[in-house]
mmCIF file with all atom_site columns, all heavy atoms in Angstrom:
data_model
loop_
_atom_site.group_PDB
_atom_site.id
_atom_site.type_symbol
_atom_site.label_atom_id
_atom_site.label_alt_id
_atom_site.label_comp_id
_atom_site.label_asym_id
_atom_site.label_entity_id
_atom_site.label_seq_id
_atom_site.pdbx_PDB_ins_code
_atom_site.Cartn_x
_atom_site.Cartn_y
_atom_site.Cartn_z
_atom_site.occupancy
_atom_site.B_iso_or_equiv
_atom_site.pdbx_formal_charge
_atom_site.auth_seq_id
_atom_site.auth_comp_id
_atom_site.auth_asym_id
_atom_site.auth_atom_id
_atom_site.pdbx_PDB_model_num
ATOM 1  N N   . ARG F 1 139 ? 14.492 -1.902 -19.183 1.00 0.00 ? 139 ARG F N   1
ATOM 2  C CA  . ARG F 1 139 ? 15.745 -1.941 -19.917 1.00 0.00 ? 139 ARG F CA  1
ATOM 3  C C   . ARG F 1 139 ? 16.854 -1.787 -18.894 1.00 0.00 ? 139 ARG F C   1
ATOM 4  O O   . ARG F 1 139 ? 16.740 -0.991 -17.953 1.00 0.00 ? 139 ARG F O   1
ATOM 5  C CB  . ARG F 1 139 ? 15.841 -0.816 -20.962 1.00 0.00 ? 139 ARG F CB  1
ATOM 6  C CG  . ARG F 1 139 ? 14.791 -0.899 -22.048 1.00 0.00 ? 139 ARG F CG  1
ATOM 7  C CD  . ARG F 1 139 ? 14.935 -2.178 -22.879 1.00 0.00 ? 139 ARG F CD  1
ATOM 8  N NE  . ARG F 1 139 ? 13.917 -2.305 -23.905 1.00 0.00 ? 139 ARG F NE  1
ATOM 9  C CZ  . ARG F 1 139 ? 12.828 -3.054 -23.813 1.00 0.00 ? 139 ARG F CZ  1
ATOM 10 N NH1 . ARG F 1 139 ? 12.565 -3.719 -22.694 1.00 0.00 ? 139 ARG F NH1 1
ATOM 11 N NH2 . ARG F 1 139 ? 11.973 -3.137 -24.810 1.00 0.00 ? 139 ARG F NH2 1
ATOM 12 N N   . VAL F 1 140 ? 17.921 -2.547 -19.085 1.00 0.00 ? 140 VAL F N   1
ATOM 13 C CA  . VAL F 1 140 ? 19.105 -2.433 -18.245 1.00 0.00 ? 140 VAL F CA  1
ATOM 14 C C   . VAL F 1 140 ? 20.100 -1.568 -19.008 1.00 0.00 ? 140 VAL F C   1
ATOM 15 O O   . VAL F 1 140 ? 20.492 -1.907 -20.128 1.00 0.00 ? 140 VAL F O   1
ATOM 16 C CB  . VAL F 1 140 ? 19.719 -3.804 -17.912 1.00 0.00 ? 140 VAL F CB  1
ATOM 17 C CG1 . VAL F 1 140 ? 20.997 -3.640 -17.105 1.00 0.00 ? 140 VAL F CG1 1
ATOM 18 C CG2 . VAL F 1 140 ? 18.713 -4.671 -17.156 1.00 0.00 ? 140 VAL F CG2 1
ATOM 19 N N   . VAL F 1 141 ? 20.460 -0.455 -18.412 1.00 0.00 ? 141 VAL F N   1
ATOM 20 C CA  . VAL F 1 141 ? 21.394 0.483  -19.032 1.00 0.00 ? 141 VAL F CA  1
ATOM 21 C C   . VAL F 1 141 ? 22.765 0.241  -18.423 1.00 0.00 ? 141 VAL F C   1
ATOM 22 O O   . VAL F 1 141 ? 22.921 0.251  -17.205 1.00 0.00 ? 141 VAL F O   1
ATOM 23 C CB  . VAL F 1 141 ? 20.945 1.939  -18.790 1.00 0.00 ? 141 VAL F CB  1
ATOM 24 C CG1 . VAL F 1 141 ? 21.926 2.920  -19.415 1.00 0.00 ? 141 VAL F CG1 1
ATOM 25 C CG2 . VAL F 1 141 ? 19.527 2.154  -19.321 1.00 0.00 ? 141 VAL F CG2 1
ATOM 26 N N   . ILE F 1 142 ? 23.748 0.010  -19.282 1.00 0.00 ? 142 ILE F N   1
ATOM 27 C CA  . ILE F 1 142 ? 25.120 -0.199 -18.840 1.00 0.00 ? 142 ILE F CA  1
ATOM 28 C C   . ILE F 1 142 ? 25.940 1.005  -19.269 1.00 0.00 ? 142 ILE F C   1
ATOM 29 O O   . ILE F 1 142 ? 25.902 1.410  -20.430 1.00 0.00 ? 142 ILE F O   1
ATOM 30 C CB  . ILE F 1 142 ? 25.719 -1.490 -19.440 1.00 0.00 ? 142 ILE F CB  1
ATOM 31 C CG1 . ILE F 1 142 ? 24.884 -2.702 -18.977 1.00 0.00 ? 142 ILE F CG1 1
ATOM 32 C CG2 . ILE F 1 142 ? 27.189 -1.643 -19.046 1.00 0.00 ? 142 ILE F CG2 1
ATOM 33 C CD1 . ILE F 1 142 ? 25.264 -4.002 -19.639 1.00 0.00 ? 142 ILE F CD1 1
ATOM 34 N N   . GLY F 1 143 ? 26.642 1.591  -18.308 1.00 0.00 ? 143 GLY F N   1
ATOM 35 C CA  . GLY F 1 143 ? 27.431 2.777  -18.593 1.00 0.00 ? 143 GLY F CA  1
ATOM 36 C C   . GLY F 1 143 ? 28.846 2.671  -18.058 1.00 0.00 ? 143 GLY F C   1
ATOM 37 O O   . GLY F 1 143 ? 29.084 2.049  -17.024 1.00 0.00 ? 143 GLY F O   1
ATOM 38 N N   . ARG F 1 144 ? 29.763 3.301  -18.796 1.00 0.00 ? 144 ARG F N   1
ATOM 39 C CA  . ARG F 1 144 ? 31.168 3.368  -18.380 1.00 0.00 ? 144 ARG F CA  1
ATOM 40 C C   . ARG F 1 144 ? 31.388 4.684  -17.643 1.00 0.00 ? 144 ARG F C   1
ATOM 41 O O   . ARG F 1 144 ? 31.120 5.757  -18.181 1.00 0.00 ? 144 ARG F O   1
ATOM 42 C CB  . ARG F 1 144 ? 32.091 3.307  -19.584 1.00 0.00 ? 144 ARG F CB  1
ATOM 43 C CG  . ARG F 1 144 ? 33.579 3.305  -19.192 1.00 0.00 ? 144 ARG F CG  1
ATOM 44 C CD  . ARG F 1 144 ? 34.482 3.337  -20.405 1.00 0.00 ? 144 ARG F CD  1
ATOM 45 N NE  . ARG F 1 144 ? 34.276 2.168  -21.231 1.00 0.00 ? 144 ARG F NE  1
ATOM 46 C CZ  . ARG F 1 144 ? 35.208 1.232  -21.462 1.00 0.00 ? 144 ARG F CZ  1
ATOM 47 N NH1 . ARG F 1 144 ? 36.401 1.359  -20.927 1.00 0.00 ? 144 ARG F NH1 1
ATOM 48 N NH2 . ARG F 1 144 ? 34.942 0.216  -22.245 1.00 0.00 ? 144 ARG F NH2 1
ATOM 49 N N   . VAL F 1 145 ? 31.878 4.590  -16.427 1.00 0.00 ? 145 VAL F N   1
ATOM 50 C CA  . VAL F 1 145 ? 32.082 5.781  -15.601 1.00 0.00 ? 145 VAL F CA  1
ATOM 51 C C   . VAL F 1 145 ? 33.264 6.571  -16.152 1.00 0.00 ? 145 VAL F C   1
ATOM 52 O O   . VAL F 1 145 ? 34.375 6.052  -16.300 1.00 0.00 ? 145 VAL F O   1
ATOM 53 C CB  . VAL F 1 145 ? 32.315 5.391  -14.128 1.00 0.00 ? 145 VAL F CB  1
ATOM 54 C CG1 . VAL F 1 145 ? 32.568 6.644  -13.285 1.00 0.00 ? 145 VAL F CG1 1
ATOM 55 C CG2 . VAL F 1 145 ? 31.127 4.603  -13.583 1.00 0.00 ? 145 VAL F CG2 1
ATOM 56 N N   . GLN F 1 146 ? 33.001 7.849  -16.454 1.00 0.00 ? 146 GLN F N   1
ATOM 57 C CA  . GLN F 1 146 ? 34.018 8.732  -17.024 1.00 0.00 ? 146 GLN F CA  1
ATOM 58 C C   . GLN F 1 146 ? 34.525 9.765  -16.020 1.00 0.00 ? 146 GLN F C   1
ATOM 59 O O   . GLN F 1 146 ? 35.632 10.271 -16.148 1.00 0.00 ? 146 GLN F O   1
ATOM 60 C CB  . GLN F 1 146 ? 33.469 9.450  -18.259 1.00 0.00 ? 146 GLN F CB  1
ATOM 61 C CG  . GLN F 1 146 ? 33.069 8.523  -19.377 1.00 0.00 ? 146 GLN F CG  1
ATOM 62 C CD  . GLN F 1 146 ? 34.257 7.783  -19.961 1.00 0.00 ? 146 GLN F CD  1
ATOM 63 O OE1 . GLN F 1 146 ? 35.403 8.188  -19.845 1.00 0.00 ? 146 GLN F OE1 1
ATOM 64 N NE2 . GLN F 1 146 ? 33.981 6.646  -20.591 1.00 0.00 ? 146 GLN F NE2 1
ATOM 65 N N   . ASP F 1 147 ? 33.691 10.098 -15.045 1.00 0.00 ? 147 ASP F N   1
ATOM 66 C CA  . ASP F 1 147 ? 34.064 11.115 -14.072 1.00 0.00 ? 147 ASP F CA  1
ATOM 67 C C   . ASP F 1 147 ? 33.272 10.854 -12.802 1.00 0.00 ? 147 ASP F C   1
ATOM 68 O O   . ASP F 1 147 ? 32.227 10.181 -12.834 1.00 0.00 ? 147 ASP F O   1
ATOM 69 C CB  . ASP F 1 147 ? 33.743 12.506 -14.625 1.00 0.00 ? 147 ASP F CB  1
ATOM 70 C CG  . ASP F 1 147 ? 34.475 13.629 -13.901 1.00 0.00 ? 147 ASP F CG  1
ATOM 71 O OD1 . ASP F 1 147 ? 35.287 13.345 -12.988 1.00 0.00 ? 147 ASP F OD1 1
ATOM 72 O OD2 . ASP F 1 147 ? 34.216 14.800 -14.233 1.00 0.00 ? 147 ASP F OD2 1
ATOM 73 N N   . SER F 1 148 ? 33.751 11.390 -11.691 1.00 0.00 ? 148 SER F N   1
ATOM 74 C CA  . SER F 1 148 ? 33.049 11.186 -10.425 1.00 0.00 ? 148 SER F CA  1
ATOM 75 C C   . SER F 1 148 ? 33.378 12.306 -9.457  1.00 0.00 ? 148 SER F C   1
ATOM 76 O O   . SER F 1 148 ? 34.348 13.038 -9.635  1.00 0.00 ? 148 SER F O   1
ATOM 77 C CB  . SER F 1 148 ? 33.438 9.843  -9.806  1.00 0.00 ? 148 SER F CB  1
ATOM 78 O OG  . SER F 1 148 ? 34.804 9.861  -9.440  1.00 0.00 ? 148 SER F OG  1
ATOM 79 N N   . TRP F 1 149 ? 32.545 12.407 -8.439  1.00 0.00 ? 149 TRP F N   1
ATOM 80 C CA  . TRP F 1 149 ? 32.759 13.364 -7.361  1.00 0.00 ? 149 TRP F CA  1
ATOM 81 C C   . TRP F 1 149 ? 32.122 12.799 -6.109  1.00 0.00 ? 149 TRP F C   1
ATOM 82 O O   . TRP F 1 149 ? 31.070 12.153 -6.176  1.00 0.00 ? 149 TRP F O   1
ATOM 83 C CB  . TRP F 1 149 ? 32.118 14.703 -7.704  1.00 0.00 ? 149 TRP F CB  1
ATOM 84 C CG  . TRP F 1 149 ? 32.194 15.691 -6.588  1.00 0.00 ? 149 TRP F CG  1
ATOM 85 C CD1 . TRP F 1 149 ? 33.241 16.501 -6.265  1.00 0.00 ? 149 TRP F CD1 1
ATOM 86 C CD2 . TRP F 1 149 ? 31.175 15.951 -5.619  1.00 0.00 ? 149 TRP F CD2 1
ATOM 87 N NE1 . TRP F 1 149 ? 32.935 17.256 -5.159  1.00 0.00 ? 149 TRP F NE1 1
ATOM 88 C CE2 . TRP F 1 149 ? 31.663 16.929 -4.742  1.00 0.00 ? 149 TRP F CE2 1
ATOM 89 C CE3 . TRP F 1 149 ? 29.893 15.448 -5.418  1.00 0.00 ? 149 TRP F CE3 1
ATOM 90 C CZ2 . TRP F 1 149 ? 30.918 17.420 -3.678  1.00 0.00 ? 149 TRP F CZ2 1
ATOM 91 C CZ3 . TRP F 1 149 ? 29.147 15.923 -4.360  1.00 0.00 ? 149 TRP F CZ3 1
ATOM 92 C CH2 . TRP F 1 149 ? 29.676 16.911 -3.506  1.00 0.00 ? 149 TRP F CH2 1
ATOM 93 N N   . THR F 1 150 ? 32.754 13.008 -4.974  1.00 0.00 ? 150 THR F N   1
ATOM 94 C CA  . THR F 1 150 ? 32.149 12.618 -3.712  1.00 0.00 ? 150 THR F CA  1
ATOM 95 C C   . THR F 1 150 ? 32.201 13.796 -2.753  1.00 0.00 ? 150 THR F C   1
ATOM 96 O O   . THR F 1 150 ? 33.181 14.532 -2.722  1.00 0.00 ? 150 THR F O   1
ATOM 97 C CB  . THR F 1 150 ? 32.818 11.372 -3.096  1.00 0.00 ? 150 THR F CB  1
ATOM 98 O OG1 . THR F 1 150 ? 32.117 11.024 -1.901  1.00 0.00 ? 150 THR F OG1 1
ATOM 99 C CG2 . THR F 1 150 ? 34.278 11.597 -2.790  1.00 0.00 ? 150 THR F CG2 1
#
Side-chain angles (χ1 to χ4, degrees):
R139 297 297 178 260
V140 177
V141 179
I142 299 173
R144 183 184 299 244
V145 178
Q146 298 295 339
D147 198 3
S148 66
W149 175 83
T150 183

